[in-house]
Every structure is written in C-alpha cells, then in structure tokens.
Amino acid sequence: MLKETDPEVYNLIRAEETRQQRQLSLIPSENFFSPAVREAVGSVFAHKYSEGNVGQRYYEGNQYIDELEELVFKRARRAFNLPDDWAVNVQALSGSNANLAVYLALMEPGDVMMGMYLPDGGHLSHGWSYEPKAQVDPNELVYLGGSRKVHITSRLFKTVQYKTSPKTQLLDYDEVAGIAEKYQPKLLITGGTAYPRLIDHERMKEIADRVGAYYLADIAHEAGLVIAGVAPSPVGIADVVTLTTHKTMRAGRGSMILAARDMMSKINRGVLPGLQGGPHNHNIAGICVGLGEALAPEYREYQRQIVINAKFLAGQLMDRGFKLVSGGTDKHLMLIDLTDQLLSGKQFAKALDKAGIVTNFNTMPQETRSPADPSALRIGTPWVTTRGMKEESMIRIAEWMREVMAIAGGWVDKSEADYLRLAASSGEIGRIAREVEALGSEYPLAIKSARYAPSRIQGNSSLY
Ligand code: DSN
C-alpha cells in the first residue's frame, strides 16, 4: 500500500532494508527485531493517548493499554527475575529519558552525581561536560567536568566522573571508593557504552552504601545478556536499574526502569509529568512481544553466542596485530586501540563502511584525540549473531578488517576528501564489499530474525 501512496518513503525503506542486508553492522548497540515485534510496533496502539499508569489514566478508552502494560510487567518480572517488592516502568521514551526520570525522582539540583568518565566508556546522560582544548591529566583518576555543559545533567548537578586504571584500563574499585568518600555523591552510576568488561554490582552497591548514595546500574548495553544469565544482574542489588530494550535485548525500541515499588512511585512521576506526555504504546507493544521472545529457550543460546562470537572475534583481531582495550572482552563489545596502527578511528570506520562493515569510531581510556576523530573503533556482535553467524564468520570479519587497515593505511597522508574518494573507488575495498555481501546473503535479515521468535513460553504459561 505504501508503495502506491508514498513511493518516496517506500523506496527509502526498501533501500535501507537492502543496505542492512548487504552490510554487516558491528555497532554493538544495534540489533534487529523479529517480524512479530515489528508488527506490534506498527499496530493501532500507536493511536492512543494514555498518560498515567495502569488503572489511573487521564484519558478514557485505555482498557487494552492497561492490559498491555500489565502483560509487560509480568513478562519483565520473569525475564529479570524481579524481587516481589520491585516494579517496572516501561514508559520512558529512551534510555536517556529513563535516567533523567530517575534523577528527577532521587536528586535535587546541585546534588552530586558520580558516573563513569565518558571517554573511558561512560554515557552522556551520566553527567558529561568538558573543557574545550584542555589537556586532561591521564594519571588523574577523577574528572570534574568543564565549562562546556553539553548534557543537561551537568547543568543541573555537580558531576564527578571516575576513570579506568591507566595501567589495566579496568575499573579500580578501591579508587572509585576513594573518590566517592571524597565527593559524597547522592547517586553513584555504573554502565555506559564502551566498557568491555563486567561490572561488580555488589562492590558498587557497597561503595554507594558507605557514602549514603543511591546506586543506579544502567544496563542499556547488557540487558539481553543479563536476562539470559550470561552477565551478572544488578536486579535486587542496585537501588535502580535502567536499560534500553533494543540493544542486546532485541525487544523493540524503548527503555525500562526497574526499582523497588516505593521508589518506583516517585520515578513514575519523574517520567510523567516530569519529562514527557503520552507513552508510545506501539513501542510498548513491541517490547512486550520482544520480552515474550526473551522468555523462549532459544534466547539464552542467542545471548551465549553473542559473547562467544565477541570473545572469538577479539582473539582473531589480536592474532592479526590489533590491540584491544583491556586486552579483550567479557561481553558483546570491544574497543580496538588504534594508537599503534596507521589509521585513526574515523579513518578506519570510513574505509570499513565502504567495505560493507559498519562500525563507529570511539574514544578510549587515556584518549588524546578529539571525539570527532578519536583513537579507537568500537565493535560488537549482537547484530551479526542475530543473523545467525558463528565463529567461522568472525574469522572472515577479522581478516577483512586486517585487509582494510592494510589497504587504507596506504592513503593515510592524503587529504580527508582524497582519502574518502580513494576508499569509495578502490577495487580492493570493492572486492571486500562483495565478499561481505556474499557472506550476508547466506544469513538473510528476515529469515534469521524470525528464527528466535518463541514457539512456546518457558515456565508457568498461565501468566500468558
Ligand atoms: N547510542 C548508544 C550507543 O551506541 O551505545 C548509547 O546511547
């Protein structure tokens, strides 16, 4: 129908679908959803306003929305093994909004917030600001921000950021404890976008307790791994858990907040009226379907394979001379340290894109370059694992990455425009793009996405 009524948009959708089929996304925050999730997202639930919570809406006609949210709660309760006195919010429109709702509930302007240093792998919404052109002391393990208050959290709160150890590139919990003692945060946050190792939630909660802070575990990246038990769960340990539903979790686009019931009533008010109006009920329907899929037995296998693929790919890359931040990964993502390679993160990402391998350039611990052209490349395996790829495909990906570095490394002295022109016209890069596409054609987008849809739900089916 869209084809006839709006061919311009139809053609863009088809073009994007072809791109997704032909290229391989190694962006660790990207995944794709089953046809069932997409059907729910495209449903009539998009038409309904439903400000408020189950049974207490400001609009009439919400009986099915109420049932839908109840169903999400039941599925989330099982997926995350929630303690009886914990509750769920699924209305925040994104991970950042989920975090902001928690801050609105638990903090006052001027309070101290402590999260991970952004260039080491933290997230913007954990309090980022910086000082343009200032050199940051690589041996100083705490960062107090700068005059460029790029994220609203740095305007509202005093922000303190802990770094990874310069020696190991790992979190040093004793250092974090010392920083917390010194700055007395009201909220201690873990999680982020580029830390390739697991987090010790018990230790972090202990540090938070010692200074009277709340502990927020932001597991946006790891939510799927946590559901499957292949990464440790902060549920029942942290005071609040936030997450996005579309990364490893592969359950449609949105977010969730998990916390004890009494705290959740404050957080619900942080979401509405604090931050937003009507929830996006069609996305909530998609998340509900995705949670159903997450309760199927295949999901655990999928999450395990994500980590197997990531560790295997890490080994293959290191065998080919690439250095990885912290020496590897425990989960779905890794950071390639390019400081001893010919290309910067941005140059490598641009050449890889022309070869059909989609990545993103990223900062890394001890970063000396600008975030616009940093020293590292961030990659991960959720997307390629959803396509059904296993270890043998990781070998091919690592080899293509080595080849692209060798080919494009020869153009490093060119101007940016010439570099991009050469990357786009190179026969060798074009050959790799065709090989990538050929591998992709063995793992079609649509068929593999359906493969993980549940045929039955584990456990007590009366809930469903
Ligand atoms: N954009 C997400 C990521 O790529 O990790 C974080 O918000």
Side-chain angles (χ1 to χ4, degrees), residues 86 106 162 173 176-177 180-181 185-190 199-217 233-241 260 263:
W86 276 46
L106 302 184
Y162 53 88
Y173 293 95
V176 174
E181 291 285 348
K186 180 93 170 275
L187 184 70
L188 177 62
I189 309 167
T190 58
I199 287 167
D200 183 342
H201 297 295
E202 265 118 1
R203 182 82 170 96
M204 277 293 183
K205 171 68 173 153
E206 229 175 73
I207 294 169
D209 281 349
R210 208 174 319 140
V211 298
Y214 295 109
Y215 172 38
L216 164 63
S233 175
V235 170
I237 299 169
D239 295 291
V240 192
V241 177
M263 189 177 282

Side-chain angles (χ1 to χ4, degrees), residues 38-208:
R38 287 166 55 194
E39 188 179 330
V41 171
S43 71
V44 291
F45 276 126
H47 306 157
K48 190 71 194 97
Y49 258 118
S50 60
E51 272 101 324
N53 298 110
V54 174
Q56 297 171 317
R57 307 280 180 182
Y58 291 90
Y59 292 74
E60 298 310 311
N62 275 308
Q63 58 270 43
Y64 302 116
I65 300 287
D66 276 358
E67 283 189 38
L68 175 69
E69 266 197 59
E70 290 277 21
L71 193 58
V72 173
F73 296 161
K74 282 179 185 160
R75 293 184 182 187
R77 187 165 288 290
R78 292 196 46 209
F80 288 99
N81 205 11
L82 283 198
D84 287 347
D85 61 341
W86 276 46
V88 180
N89 181 298
V90 69
Q91 296 186 1
L93 298 182
S94 70
S96 287
N97 266 34
N99 286 341
L100 288 174
V102 173
Y103 307 153
L104 271 179
L106 302 184
M107 298 177 73
E108 294 298 329
D111 281 348
V112 178
M113 153 188 292
M114 182 167 154
M116 189 179 192
Y117 183 52
L118 183 83
D120 283 15
H123 190 253
L124 280 169
S125 67
H126 300 174
W128 181 239
S129 67
Y130 69 99
E131 196 57 50
K133 301 200 167 75
Q135 280 298 325
V136 176
D137 179 352
N139 294 312
E140 180 63 71
L141 286 183
V142 62
Y143 185 67
L144 300 178
S147 61
R148 193 152 299 173
K149 309 258 179 227
V150 285
H151 196 269
I152 187 166
T153 43
S154 63
R155 296 185 186 202
L156 289 177
F157 307 115
K158 294 191 186 107
T159 60
V160 176
Q161 303 214 310
Y162 53 88
K163 297 192 198 167
T164 50
S165 152
K167 252 197 238 142
T168 60
Q169 299 178 317
L170 301 173
L171 285 179
D172 178 334
Y173 293 95
D174 292 337
E175 282 289 344
V176 174
I179 295 166
E181 291 285 348
K182 180 162 177 195
Y183 293 98
Q184 297 287 306
K186 180 93 170 275
L187 184 70
L188 177 62
I189 309 167
T190 58
T193 61
Y195 185 62
R197 299 298 182 172
L198 300 177
I199 287 167
D200 183 342
H201 297 295
E202 265 118 1
R203 182 82 170 96
M204 277 293 183
K205 171 68 173 153
E206 229 175 73
I207 294 169

